[in-house]
Amino acid sequence: MTRRARTFYLIPYAFWILLFVIAPIVLIAYYSFFDIDGNFTFSNYVNFFTPVYLKMMVSSFWYAFLIMLFALLISYPTALVLTKLKHKQLWLLLIILPTWINLLLKAYAFMGIFGTYGTANKFLEFIGIGTKQILFTDFSFLFVSTYIFIPFMILPIYNALEEMNPSLTHAAQDLGATRWTTFWRVVFPITLDGVKAGCQAVFIPALSLFMITRLIAGNRVITLGTAIEEHFLVTQDWGMGSTIGVFLIIAMFIIMFVSGTKRKKGAVK
């Protein structure tokens, strides 16, 4: 393929990136310099560093970290088991299927499950514990969020495990390594790129959650995503909402840069 042909085929891709990635970011940055009355100001950036928004930022990072951690602890063993199953593609499809369901529908389903008269409380009554407040708690928020993001953690880890040469684990065992030593010294380092990709796919969107905080956590969990929704839809302060969005975008780029994979020089392709 000639250079001119490659340039021609890149035009639609470049147009897409310009229209749906760069343009929205520029608009968000532009609106962040205006107050609620439409006056140019830097006060939004000053207000962001007040204790209220800093507390929201810490809360957002904390909950995103917990969601990522729980998803990783569940997804890695699941991906390991998947690679050893006979009909692995079928099981992988069953894990991916829930992602095809609308997020709002899944949230309402969990509201019914965790409600006062829901399935979870009926089970607790059956075993003699009694009715508990499950909905509108940190537990319900973390549980539902982790459930939603698990497929996005499993897929990159599963792909990394599938690409690993099995002779490496056999060689480690032949040299006397235990299963734990083989996993920790051979399997995990080789699949670390998949773990990083999964952590990115979970942590970054978890920073800006707002629908689940409303429906499942009942506004007991306040994050930057909740604040953005509040400013855009309730207070109509688009400037402050855009300012929070700018800092979220910066945080996401930093996370991607820090957790990105760096190919070593001379590495075998």
Side-chain angles (χ1 to χ4, degrees), residues 179-201:
R179 289 187 176 182
W180 171 251
T181 304
T182 302
F183 168 76
W184 189 247
R185 301 293 296 274
V186 178
V187 177
F188 187 76
I190 292 175
T191 58
L192 190 58
D193 289 346
V195 173
K196 289 181 180 180
C199 290
Q200 285 183 0

Side-chain angles (χ1 to χ4, degrees), residues 11 49 70 76 88 109 142 148 173 179 200 207 216 221-222 231-232 252 261:
I11 291 175
F49 290 98
F70 292 144
Y76 206 108
K88 60 183 71 176
L142 291 172
I148 289 171
Q173 292 170 1
R179 289 187 176 182
Q200 285 183 0
L207 276 176
I216 303 299
V221 175
I222 304 298
H231 283 303
F232 272 97
M252 292 173 185
T261 303

